[in-house]
Amino acid sequence: MDRVRWTPPVVRLMAGLMLSMFVAAMDATVVGTALPTIARELGQFALYPWVFSGYLITATTSVPLWGRTADLHGRRRVLLIGMALFVVASVLCAASPAMGWLIAFRTLQGIGAGCIQPLVFTIVGDFFPIAQRARLQGFFAGMWAIAAIVGPVLGALFISTVGWRWIFLINLPIGILAAGLVWGYREQRPESRPAGALDLRSGVLLTAGISLLLWGLGTGSPTATPSWPVLALALALLALFGWAESRSRSPILPLDLLRHRAIGPAVLVTTLAGTVMFGVTAYLPLHVQQVIGGSVFAAGAAVGAMSLGWPLASTASGWVILRVGYQRLAVAGAGVLVAGTLMLALPPPRAGVLWASAAAAVIGVGMGLFSAPLLIVIQSSVEWGRRGAATALNQFARTIGGAVGVSLMGVLLEAFVRSAADPLAARAQLAAGLGAVFWVLVGLSMLALLAALAMLRWSPALGTAAQPEHAPERAEAV
């Protein structure tokens, strides 16, 4: 099948998938804008990074479980379960009486969020042939961009009027509508299905290892200093996870795919770029509000600018990927990423919100150039029975980069402001700490560029990397 016709059921399915993506994307952007206000109201500034990190831990470690479950039991059922969990946890976040409770419910919310994006892209990978799929990525990038623009603005509006708790409550009606649109989707699975059961032991080891790793790095502690015994235990658990996965008949994380000449380098670039993206989302609002002196609306606009160029670049990359190759798009995107992070680290004198927003927009262009092409290459290099796990591996790489990266950046920032009685009011110390954070982003972007250049030399072309498309893998929307 060369092309899927746009019938009303297909349109309903796509609308449901886009809304599912929208609700997850909006939650990610709106919370970053609201965090300074939340920290001021709930207190415990030392726990500031954990509002992100707790969410990212479970959003990261649950992704392989969701992807493997979707391969074993089907995409639709798993996506609806993840959506329901995300919406319920959002309501609980809105009811949080203290920072500790908010972190706990955000952690639960992350479990649901870990399902949405990889399952949406897996369904698209099942449903559409590669040429049509590449062009459709622009629509999903556009939905992410709309959410990134609407989310911070809506969050700022809620904070200024009815309160920050509504940034979570808004997920309820959107999530219900998205689930209703996806409800009619019926997939046609191939006769040869993956065997085995979900390896929960590996899931527990991975979650515990990542959680202890972040805690051992010093995130959330008053002194922001590493705990070497906790780090040692974390590394031991992660090593045990790797050993268990290597012996499992049904691994949740397909680490063997990292040896693939196309998938391995793509995952590395995704990891580094994800760290940059989450670092900007977490710390640019703090820079705009507390260092530049901008309003909560200005902070929202600065973060939202990161997604202005994303859909345009993503759409363009979808049209030209088969002509120029994903390797060249990866190099171009990483180069633009370096330029955007340098704009944050080296602002001109008296640079304000406009400069910060422009830097975020440039970073968005860089992300848009290679995010969709790299995902397409990963999906096209595996068969149906591993597509969910492979898509989850890509998402896992990006979010683990974000989780560990944001935590380490939080430790770095805490080291600059720990002597201040009121860290949020220590403008000079915050400026120095955030400047150091931005230089970390520059370094990560340069590493992504080096990885992309290596990909240009060593990775195979898309046609060589891809497996043949299988007609039985197509699905129906009814």
PDB file of all heavy atoms in Angstrom, residues 37-74:
ATOM      1  N   THR A  37       6.106  30.281  40.459  1.00  0.00           N
ATOM      2  CA  THR A  37       4.942  30.631  41.278  1.00  0.00           C
ATOM      3  C   THR A  37       4.605  29.513  42.249  1.00  0.00           C
ATOM      4  O   THR A  37       4.304  29.755  43.428  1.00  0.00           O
ATOM      5  CB  THR A  37       3.729  30.923  40.373  1.00  0.00           C
ATOM      6  OG1 THR A  37       4.060  32.001  39.492  1.00  0.00           O
ATOM      7  CG2 THR A  37       2.515  31.300  41.205  1.00  0.00           C
ATOM      8  N   ILE A  38       4.649  28.271  41.780  1.00  0.00           N
ATOM      9  CA  ILE A  38       4.348  27.129  42.645  1.00  0.00           C
ATOM     10  C   ILE A  38       5.360  27.044  43.773  1.00  0.00           C
ATOM     11  O   ILE A  38       5.000  26.809  44.935  1.00  0.00           O
ATOM     12  CB  ILE A  38       4.335  25.830  41.818  1.00  0.00           C
ATOM     13  CG1 ILE A  38       3.192  25.855  40.800  1.00  0.00           C
ATOM     14  CG2 ILE A  38       4.209  24.614  42.713  1.00  0.00           C
ATOM     15  CD1 ILE A  38       3.201  24.677  39.844  1.00  0.00           C
ATOM     16  N   ALA A  39       6.650  27.225  43.447  1.00  0.00           N
ATOM     17  CA  ALA A  39       7.691  27.153  44.468  1.00  0.00           C
ATOM     18  C   ALA A  39       7.509  28.247  45.514  1.00  0.00           C
ATOM     19  O   ALA A  39       7.747  28.033  46.711  1.00  0.00           O
ATOM     20  CB  ALA A  39       9.069  27.256  43.816  1.00  0.00           C
ATOM     21  N   ARG A  40       7.072  29.425  45.079  1.00  0.00           N
ATOM     22  CA  ARG A  40       6.863  30.514  46.019  1.00  0.00           C
ATOM     23  C   ARG A  40       5.687  30.219  46.955  1.00  0.00           C
ATOM     24  O   ARG A  40       5.724  30.545  48.141  1.00  0.00           O
ATOM     25  CB  ARG A  40       6.625  31.818  45.251  1.00  0.00           C
ATOM     26  CG  ARG A  40       6.566  33.061  46.153  1.00  0.00           C
ATOM     27  CD  ARG A  40       6.414  34.329  45.327  1.00  0.00           C
ATOM     28  NE  ARG A  40       7.601  34.565  44.500  1.00  0.00           N
ATOM     29  CZ  ARG A  40       7.635  34.426  43.193  1.00  0.00           C
ATOM     30  NH1 ARG A  40       6.544  34.041  42.525  1.00  0.00           N
ATOM     31  NH2 ARG A  40       8.743  34.664  42.509  1.00  0.00           N
ATOM     32  N   GLU A  41       4.632  29.598  46.432  1.00  0.00           N
ATOM     33  CA  GLU A  41       3.451  29.319  47.251  1.00  0.00           C
ATOM     34  C   GLU A  41       3.640  28.100  48.148  1.00  0.00           C
ATOM     35  O   GLU A  41       3.255  28.126  49.326  1.00  0.00           O
ATOM     36  CB  GLU A  41       2.231  29.093  46.348  1.00  0.00           C
ATOM     37  CG  GLU A  41       0.955  28.781  47.117  1.00  0.00           C
ATOM     38  CD  GLU A  41      -0.250  28.656  46.208  1.00  0.00           C
ATOM     39  OE1 GLU A  41      -0.317  29.389  45.192  1.00  0.00           O
ATOM     40  OE2 GLU A  41      -1.135  27.828  46.498  1.00  0.00           O
ATOM     41  N   LEU A  42       4.236  27.034  47.610  1.00  0.00           N
ATOM     42  CA  LEU A  42       4.362  25.797  48.384  1.00  0.00           C
ATOM     43  C   LEU A  42       5.661  25.714  49.170  1.00  0.00           C
ATOM     44  O   LEU A  42       5.776  24.883  50.079  1.00  0.00           O
ATOM     45  CB  LEU A  42       4.251  24.587  47.450  1.00  0.00           C
ATOM     46  CG  LEU A  42       2.932  24.434  46.675  1.00  0.00           C
ATOM     47  CD1 LEU A  42       2.945  23.160  45.847  1.00  0.00           C
ATOM     48  CD2 LEU A  42       1.741  24.433  47.625  1.00  0.00           C
ATOM     49  N   GLY A  43       6.661  26.561  48.830  1.00  0.00           N
ATOM     50  CA  GLY A  43       7.914  26.557  49.564  1.00  0.00           C
ATOM     51  C   GLY A  43       8.841  25.428  49.136  1.00  0.00           C
ATOM     52  O   GLY A  43       8.637  24.772  48.115  1.00  0.00           O
ATOM     53  N   GLN A  44       9.904  25.195  49.946  1.00  0.00           N
ATOM     54  CA  GLN A  44      10.874  24.115  49.723  1.00  0.00           C
ATOM     55  C   GLN A  44      11.542  24.233  48.348  1.00  0.00           C
ATOM     56  O   GLN A  44      11.436  23.347  47.503  1.00  0.00           O
ATOM     57  CB  GLN A  44      10.198  22.747  49.879  1.00  0.00           C
ATOM     58  CG  GLN A  44       9.696  22.488  51.298  1.00  0.00           C
ATOM     59  CD  GLN A  44       9.015  21.132  51.407  1.00  0.00           C
ATOM     60  OE1 GLN A  44       7.910  20.944  50.910  1.00  0.00           O
ATOM     61  NE2 GLN A  44       9.677  20.192  52.066  1.00  0.00           N
ATOM     62  N   PHE A  45      12.270  25.356  48.150  1.00  0.00           N
ATOM     63  CA  PHE A  45      12.920  25.609  46.871  1.00  0.00           C
ATOM     64  C   PHE A  45      13.922  24.511  46.504  1.00  0.00           C
ATOM     65  O   PHE A  45      14.143  24.235  45.321  1.00  0.00           O
ATOM     66  CB  PHE A  45      13.635  26.963  46.902  1.00  0.00           C
ATOM     67  CG  PHE A  45      14.336  27.309  45.624  1.00  0.00           C
ATOM     68  CD1 PHE A  45      13.628  27.810  44.543  1.00  0.00           C
ATOM     69  CD2 PHE A  45      15.715  27.128  45.493  1.00  0.00           C
ATOM     70  CE1 PHE A  45      14.270  28.121  43.350  1.00  0.00           C
ATOM     71  CE2 PHE A  45      16.359  27.448  44.306  1.00  0.00           C
ATOM     72  CZ  PHE A  45      15.631  27.942  43.232  1.00  0.00           C
ATOM     73  N   ALA A  46      14.537  23.863  47.503  1.00  0.00           N
ATOM     74  CA  ALA A  46      15.511  22.813  47.219  1.00  0.00           C
ATOM     75  C   ALA A  46      14.891  21.659  46.439  1.00  0.00           C
ATOM     76  O   ALA A  46      15.592  20.918  45.739  1.00  0.00           O
ATOM     77  CB  ALA A  46      16.128  22.289  48.514  1.00  0.00           C
ATOM     78  N   LEU A  47      13.559  21.507  46.553  1.00  0.00           N
ATOM     79  CA  LEU A  47      12.871  20.440  45.830  1.00  0.00           C
ATOM     80  C   LEU A  47      12.435  20.868  44.430  1.00  0.00           C
ATOM     81  O   LEU A  47      11.808  20.073  43.717  1.00  0.00           O
ATOM     82  CB  LEU A  47      11.637  19.987  46.626  1.00  0.00           C
ATOM     83  CG  LEU A  47      11.910  19.354  47.991  1.00  0.00           C
ATOM     84  CD1 LEU A  47      10.593  19.009  48.678  1.00  0.00           C
ATOM     85  CD2 LEU A  47      12.780  18.118  47.857  1.00  0.00           C
ATOM     86  N   TYR A  48      12.761  22.099  44.045  1.00  0.00           N
ATOM     87  CA  TYR A  48      12.339  22.628  42.736  1.00  0.00           C
ATOM     88  C   TYR A  48      12.644  21.660  41.579  1.00  0.00           C
ATOM     89  O   TYR A  48      11.758  21.365  40.767  1.00  0.00           O
ATOM     90  CB  TYR A  48      13.034  23.976  42.517  1.00  0.00           C
ATOM     91  CG  TYR A  48      12.695  24.713  41.245  1.00  0.00           C
ATOM     92  CD1 TYR A  48      11.810  25.781  41.239  1.00  0.00           C
ATOM     93  CD2 TYR A  48      13.283  24.358  40.033  1.00  0.00           C
ATOM     94  CE1 TYR A  48      11.515  26.483  40.072  1.00  0.00           C
ATOM     95  CE2 TYR A  48      12.996  25.042  38.861  1.00  0.00           C
ATOM     96  CZ  TYR A  48      12.114  26.101  38.895  1.00  0.00           C
ATOM     97  OH  TYR A  48      11.825  26.773  37.735  1.00  0.00           O
ATOM     98  N   PRO A  49      13.871  21.129  41.469  1.00  0.00           N
ATOM     99  CA  PRO A  49      14.147  20.244  40.326  1.00  0.00           C
ATOM    100  C   PRO A  49      13.322  18.964  40.335  1.00  0.00           C
ATOM    101  O   PRO A  49      13.098  18.361  39.284  1.00  0.00           O
ATOM    102  CB  PRO A  49      15.645  19.934  40.468  1.00  0.00           C
ATOM    103  CG  PRO A  49      16.191  21.021  41.327  1.00  0.00           C
ATOM    104  CD  PRO A  49      15.077  21.363  42.269  1.00  0.00           C
ATOM    105  N   TRP A  50      12.846  18.536  41.530  1.00  0.00           N
ATOM    106  CA  TRP A  50      12.135  17.264  41.606  1.00  0.00           C
ATOM    107  C   TRP A  50      10.735  17.331  41.024  1.00  0.00           C
ATOM    108  O   TRP A  50      10.145  16.292  40.704  1.00  0.00           O
ATOM    109  CB  TRP A  50      12.080  16.768  43.051  1.00  0.00           C
ATOM    110  CG  TRP A  50      13.300  15.973  43.392  1.00  0.00           C
ATOM    111  CD1 TRP A  50      14.380  16.401  44.101  1.00  0.00           C
ATOM    112  CD2 TRP A  50      13.577  14.624  43.013  1.00  0.00           C
ATOM    113  NE1 TRP A  50      15.316  15.405  44.185  1.00  0.00           N
ATOM    114  CE2 TRP A  50      14.840  14.303  43.534  1.00  0.00           C
ATOM    115  CE3 TRP A  50      12.885  13.663  42.285  1.00  0.00           C
ATOM    116  CZ2 TRP A  50      15.432  13.054  43.346  1.00  0.00           C
ATOM    117  CZ3 TRP A  50      13.474  12.422  42.101  1.00  0.00           C
ATOM    118  CH2 TRP A  50      14.715  12.130  42.628  1.00  0.00           C
ATOM    119  N   VAL A  51      10.178  18.514  40.872  1.00  0.00           N
ATOM    120  CA  VAL A  51       8.884  18.614  40.186  1.00  0.00           C
ATOM    121  C   VAL A  51       9.046  18.161  38.739  1.00  0.00           C
ATOM    122  O   VAL A  51       8.164  17.524  38.156  1.00  0.00           O
ATOM    123  CB  VAL A  51       8.337  20.050  40.246  1.00  0.00           C
ATOM    124  CG1 VAL A  51       7.008  20.157  39.521  1.00  0.00           C
ATOM    125  CG2 VAL A  51       8.176  20.489  41.695  1.00  0.00           C
ATOM    126  N   PHE A  52      10.204  18.476  38.151  1.00  0.00           N
ATOM    127  CA  PHE A  52      10.532  17.977  36.822  1.00  0.00           C
ATOM    128  C   PHE A  52      11.084  16.557  36.886  1.00  0.00           C
ATOM    129  O   PHE A  52      10.663  15.668  36.155  1.00  0.00           O
ATOM    130  CB  PHE A  52      11.575  18.884  36.154  1.00  0.00           C
ATOM    131  CG  PHE A  52      10.969  19.905  35.245  1.00  0.00           C
ATOM    132  CD1 PHE A  52      10.733  21.185  35.697  1.00  0.00           C
ATOM    133  CD2 PHE A  52      10.638  19.597  33.945  1.00  0.00           C
ATOM    134  CE1 PHE A  52      10.180  22.139  34.868  1.00  0.00           C
ATOM    135  CE2 PHE A  52      10.084  20.540  33.098  1.00  0.00           C
ATOM    136  CZ  PHE A  52       9.847  21.821  33.561  1.00  0.00           C
ATOM    137  N   SER A  53      12.047  16.344  37.770  1.00  0.00           N
ATOM    138  CA  SER A  53      12.764  15.082  37.765  1.00  0.00           C
ATOM    139  C   SER A  53      11.884  13.911  38.176  1.00  0.00           C
ATOM    140  O   SER A  53      11.993  12.815  37.610  1.00  0.00           O
ATOM    141  CB  SER A  53      13.981  15.173  38.691  1.00  0.00           C
ATOM    142  OG  SER A  53      14.877  16.150  38.227  1.00  0.00           O
ATOM    143  N   GLY A  54      11.018  14.111  39.184  1.00  0.00           N
ATOM    144  CA  GLY A  54      10.115  13.027  39.581  1.00  0.00           C
ATOM    145  C   GLY A  54       9.215  12.606  38.437  1.00  0.00           C
ATOM    146  O   GLY A  54       8.989  11.414  38.192  1.00  0.00           O
ATOM    147  N   TYR A  55       8.699  13.596  37.717  1.00  0.00           N
ATOM    148  CA  TYR A  55       7.870  13.339  36.529  1.00  0.00           C
ATOM    149  C   TYR A  55       8.675  12.621  35.454  1.00  0.00           C
ATOM    150  O   TYR A  55       8.228  11.637  34.861  1.00  0.00           O
ATOM    151  CB  TYR A  55       7.348  14.678  36.026  1.00  0.00           C
ATOM    152  CG  TYR A  55       6.552  14.642  34.745  1.00  0.00           C
ATOM    153  CD1 TYR A  55       5.173  14.471  34.764  1.00  0.00           C
ATOM    154  CD2 TYR A  55       7.179  14.820  33.516  1.00  0.00           C
ATOM    155  CE1 TYR A  55       4.433  14.476  33.590  1.00  0.00           C
ATOM    156  CE2 TYR A  55       6.457  14.828  32.335  1.00  0.00           C
ATOM    157  CZ  TYR A  55       5.087  14.658  32.380  1.00  0.00           C
ATOM    158  OH  TYR A  55       4.365  14.651  31.214  1.00  0.00           O
ATOM    159  N   LEU A  56       9.900  13.104  35.220  1.00  0.00           N
ATOM    160  CA  LEU A  56      10.710  12.533  34.154  1.00  0.00           C
ATOM    161  C   LEU A  56      11.224  11.136  34.491  1.00  0.00           C
ATOM    162  O   LEU A  56      11.438  10.313  33.592  1.00  0.00           O
ATOM    163  CB  LEU A  56      11.887  13.456  33.838  1.00  0.00           C
ATOM    164  CG  LEU A  56      11.524  14.742  33.096  1.00  0.00           C
ATOM    165  CD1 LEU A  56      12.753  15.626  32.958  1.00  0.00           C
ATOM    166  CD2 LEU A  56      10.950  14.437  31.732  1.00  0.00           C
ATOM    167  N   ILE A  57      11.431  10.847  35.791  1.00  0.00           N
ATOM    168  CA  ILE A  57      11.865   9.499  36.172  1.00  0.00           C
ATOM    169  C   ILE A  57      10.848   8.468  35.712  1.00  0.00           C
ATOM    170  O   ILE A  57      11.175   7.493  35.023  1.00  0.00           O
ATOM    171  CB  ILE A  57      12.076   9.398  37.694  1.00  0.00           C
ATOM    172  CG1 ILE A  57      13.337  10.143  38.116  1.00  0.00           C
ATOM    173  CG2 ILE A  57      12.181   7.934  38.127  1.00  0.00           C
ATOM    174  CD1 ILE A  57      13.487  10.269  39.609  1.00  0.00           C
ATOM    175  N   THR A  58       9.581   8.685  36.095  1.00  0.00           N
ATOM    176  CA  THR A  58       8.558   7.703  35.743  1.00  0.00           C
ATOM    177  C   THR A  58       8.183   7.801  34.265  1.00  0.00           C
ATOM    178  O   THR A  58       7.866   6.784  33.636  1.00  0.00           O
ATOM    179  CB  THR A  58       7.314   7.883  36.615  1.00  0.00           C
ATOM    180  OG1 THR A  58       6.911   9.266  36.598  1.00  0.00           O
ATOM    181  CG2 THR A  58       7.598   7.466  38.046  1.00  0.00           C
ATOM    182  N   ALA A  59       8.198   9.021  33.705  1.00  0.00           N
ATOM    183  CA  ALA A  59       7.934   9.155  32.273  1.00  0.00           C
ATOM    184  C   ALA A  59       9.026   8.470  31.460  1.00  0.00           C
ATOM    185  O   ALA A  59       8.778   8.035  30.329  1.00  0.00           O
ATOM    186  CB  ALA A  59       7.848  10.632  31.887  1.00  0.00           C
ATOM    187  N   THR A  60      10.218   8.358  32.040  1.00  0.00           N
ATOM    188  CA  THR A  60      11.328   7.695  31.362  1.00  0.00           C
ATOM    189  C   THR A  60      11.271   6.189  31.547  1.00  0.00           C
ATOM    190  O   THR A  60      11.291   5.419  30.588  1.00  0.00           O
ATOM    191  CB  THR A  60      12.664   8.220  31.907  1.00  0.00           C
ATOM    192  OG1 THR A  60      12.740   9.620  31.675  1.00  0.00           O
ATOM    193  CG2 THR A  60      13.835   7.530  31.245  1.00  0.00           C
ATOM    194  N   THR A  61      11.223   5.749  32.799  1.00  0.00           N
ATOM    195  CA  THR A  61      11.337   4.319  33.084  1.00  0.00           C
ATOM    196  C   THR A  61      10.087   3.539  32.699  1.00  0.00           C
ATOM    197  O   THR A  61      10.159   2.329  32.490  1.00  0.00           O
ATOM    198  CB  THR A  61      11.640   4.092  34.570  1.00  0.00           C
ATOM    199  OG1 THR A  61      10.620   4.725  35.371  1.00  0.00           O
ATOM    200  CG2 THR A  61      12.989   4.697  34.943  1.00  0.00           C
ATOM    201  N   SER A  62       8.943   4.213  32.596  1.00  0.00           N
ATOM    202  CA  SER A  62       7.730   3.497  32.199  1.00  0.00           C
ATOM    203  C   SER A  62       7.618   3.327  30.691  1.00  0.00           C
ATOM    204  O   SER A  62       6.861   2.472  30.218  1.00  0.00           O
ATOM    205  CB  SER A  62       6.487   4.229  32.724  1.00  0.00           C
ATOM    206  OG  SER A  62       6.347   5.506  32.116  1.00  0.00           O
ATOM    207  N   VAL A  63       8.348   4.134  29.917  1.00  0.00           N
ATOM    208  CA  VAL A  63       8.248   4.072  28.454  1.00  0.00           C
ATOM    209  C   VAL A  63       8.546   2.673  27.905  1.00  0.00           C
ATOM    210  O   VAL A  63       7.780   2.146  27.092  1.00  0.00           O
ATOM    211  CB  VAL A  63       9.160   5.138  27.809  1.00  0.00           C
ATOM    212  CG1 VAL A  63       9.392   4.827  26.337  1.00  0.00           C
ATOM    213  CG2 VAL A  63       8.538   6.513  27.955  1.00  0.00           C
ATOM    214  N   PRO A  64       9.656   2.023  28.312  1.00  0.00           N
ATOM    215  CA  PRO A  64       9.894   0.676  27.784  1.00  0.00           C
ATOM    216  C   PRO A  64       8.793  -0.308  28.157  1.00  0.00           C
ATOM    217  O   PRO A  64       8.451  -1.192  27.359  1.00  0.00           O
ATOM    218  CB  PRO A  64      11.237   0.276  28.418  1.00  0.00           C
ATOM    219  CG  PRO A  64      11.885   1.563  28.791  1.00  0.00           C
ATOM    220  CD  PRO A  64      10.763   2.477  29.167  1.00  0.00           C
ATOM    221  N   LEU A  65       8.239  -0.182  29.363  1.00  0.00           N
ATOM    222  CA  LEU A  65       7.147  -1.072  29.767  1.00  0.00           C
ATOM    223  C   LEU A  65       5.923  -0.871  28.896  1.00  0.00           C
ATOM    224  O   LEU A  65       5.289  -1.836  28.448  1.00  0.00           O
ATOM    225  CB  LEU A  65       6.807  -0.826  31.241  1.00  0.00           C
ATOM    226  CG  LEU A  65       7.867  -1.257  32.259  1.00  0.00           C
ATOM    227  CD1 LEU A  65       7.512  -0.715  33.648  1.00  0.00           C
ATOM    228  CD2 LEU A  65       7.985  -2.769  32.302  1.00  0.00           C
ATOM    229  N   TRP A  66       5.576   0.391  28.633  1.00  0.00           N
ATOM    230  CA  TRP A  66       4.426   0.682  27.771  1.00  0.00           C
ATOM    231  C   TRP A  66       4.678   0.172  26.351  1.00  0.00           C
ATOM    232  O   TRP A  66       3.787  -0.422  25.722  1.00  0.00           O
ATOM    233  CB  TRP A  66       4.153   2.182  27.730  1.00  0.00           C
ATOM    234  CG  TRP A  66       3.582   2.786  28.965  1.00  0.00           C
ATOM    235  CD1 TRP A  66       4.148   3.761  29.742  1.00  0.00           C
ATOM    236  CD2 TRP A  66       2.319   2.500  29.579  1.00  0.00           C
ATOM    237  NE1 TRP A  66       3.338   4.093  30.793  1.00  0.00           N
ATOM    238  CE2 TRP A  66       2.191   3.335  30.715  1.00  0.00           C
ATOM    239  CE3 TRP A  66       1.285   1.612  29.289  1.00  0.00           C
ATOM    240  CZ2 TRP A  66       1.075   3.315  31.553  1.00  0.00           C
ATOM    241  CZ3 TRP A  66       0.174   1.589  30.118  1.00  0.00           C
ATOM    242  CH2 TRP A  66       0.079   2.426  31.231  1.00  0.00           C
ATOM    243  N   GLY A  67       5.885   0.415  25.824  1.00  0.00           N
ATOM    244  CA  GLY A  67       6.180  -0.012  24.462  1.00  0.00           C
ATOM    245  C   GLY A  67       6.119  -1.517  24.305  1.00  0.00           C
ATOM    246  O   GLY A  67       5.545  -2.043  23.339  1.00  0.00           O
ATOM    247  N   ARG A  68       6.695  -2.244  25.255  1.00  0.00           N
ATOM    248  CA  ARG A  68       6.668  -3.706  25.195  1.00  0.00           C
ATOM    249  C   ARG A  68       5.249  -4.235  25.381  1.00  0.00           C
ATOM    250  O   ARG A  68       4.829  -5.191  24.712  1.00  0.00           O
ATOM    251  CB  ARG A  68       7.596  -4.279  26.268  1.00  0.00           C
ATOM    252  CG  ARG A  68       7.695  -5.800  26.255  1.00  0.00           C
ATOM    253  CD  ARG A  68       8.187  -6.307  24.925  1.00  0.00           C
ATOM    254  NE  ARG A  68       8.238  -7.766  24.899  1.00  0.00           N
ATOM    255  CZ  ARG A  68       8.350  -8.479  23.802  1.00  0.00           C
ATOM    256  NH1 ARG A  68       8.424  -7.869  22.624  1.00  0.00           N
ATOM    257  NH2 ARG A  68       8.403  -9.797  23.852  1.00  0.00           N
ATOM    258  N   THR A  69       4.482  -3.607  26.281  1.00  0.00           N
ATOM    259  CA  THR A  69       3.091  -4.025  26.489  1.00  0.00           C
ATOM    260  C   THR A  69       2.279  -3.824  25.212  1.00  0.00           C
ATOM    261  O   THR A  69       1.430  -4.657  24.872  1.00  0.00           O
ATOM    262  CB  THR A  69       2.462  -3.226  27.638  1.00  0.00           C
ATOM    263  OG1 THR A  69       3.247  -3.397  28.824  1.00  0.00           O
ATOM    264  CG2 THR A  69       1.041  -3.688  27.921  1.00  0.00           C
ATOM    265  N   ALA A  70       2.537  -2.731  24.500  1.00  0.00           N
ATOM    266  CA  ALA A  70       1.821  -2.483  23.257  1.00  0.00           C
ATOM    267  C   ALA A  70       2.161  -3.525  22.200  1.00  0.00           C
ATOM    268  O   ALA A  70       1.304  -3.913  21.395  1.00  0.00           O
ATOM    269  CB  ALA A  70       2.146  -1.084  22.733  1.00  0.00           C
ATOM    270  N   ASP A  71       3.413  -3.990  22.171  1.00  0.00           N
ATOM    271  CA  ASP A  71       3.786  -5.054  21.237  1.00  0.00           C
ATOM    272  C   ASP A  71       3.089  -6.361  21.580  1.00  0.00           C
ATOM    273  O   ASP A  71       2.734  -7.142  20.694  1.00  0.00           O
ATOM    274  CB  ASP A  71       5.307  -5.257  21.248  1.00  0.00           C
ATOM    275  CG  ASP A  71       6.051  -4.155  20.511  1.00  0.00           C
ATOM    276  OD1 ASP A  71       5.424  -3.461  19.690  1.00  0.00           O
ATOM    277  OD2 ASP A  71       7.255  -3.997  20.762  1.00  0.00           O
ATOM    278  N   LEU A  72       2.885  -6.611  22.867  1.00  0.00           N
ATOM    279  CA  LEU A  72       2.284  -7.869  23.302  1.00  0.00           C
ATOM    280  C   LEU A  72       0.760  -7.853  23.238  1.00  0.00           C
ATOM    281  O   LEU A  72       0.132  -8.862  22.896  1.00  0.00           O
ATOM    282  CB  LEU A  72       2.720  -8.192  24.735  1.00  0.00           C
ATOM    283  CG  LEU A  72       4.214  -8.502  24.948  1.00  0.00           C
ATOM    284  CD1 LEU A  72       4.519  -8.619  26.432  1.00  0.00           C
ATOM    285  CD2 LEU A  72       4.611  -9.789  24.220  1.00  0.00           C
ATOM    286  N   HIS A  73       0.133  -6.731  23.567  1.00  0.00           N
ATOM    287  CA  HIS A  73      -1.318  -6.692  23.757  1.00  0.00           C
ATOM    288  C   HIS A  73      -2.047  -5.701  22.860  1.00  0.00           C
ATOM    289  O   HIS A  73      -3.266  -5.559  22.984  1.00  0.00           O
ATOM    290  CB  HIS A  73      -1.646  -6.377  25.227  1.00  0.00           C
ATOM    291  CG  HIS A  73      -1.050  -7.359  26.196  1.00  0.00           C
ATOM    292  ND1 HIS A  73      -1.477  -8.667  26.285  1.00  0.00           N
ATOM    293  CD2 HIS A  73      -0.045  -7.225  27.085  1.00  0.00           C
ATOM    294  CE1 HIS A  73      -0.760  -9.304  27.217  1.00  0.00           C
ATOM    295  NE2 HIS A  73       0.119  -8.447  27.705  1.00  0.00           N
ATOM    296  N   GLY A  74      -1.344  -5.006  21.981  1.00  0.00           N
ATOM    297  CA  GLY A  74      -2.011  -4.088  21.071  1.00  0.00           C
ATOM    298  C   GLY A  74      -1.869  -2.640  21.501  1.00  0.00           C
ATOM    299  O   GLY A  74      -1.696  -2.331  22.677  1.00  0.00           O
TER     300      GLY A  74
END
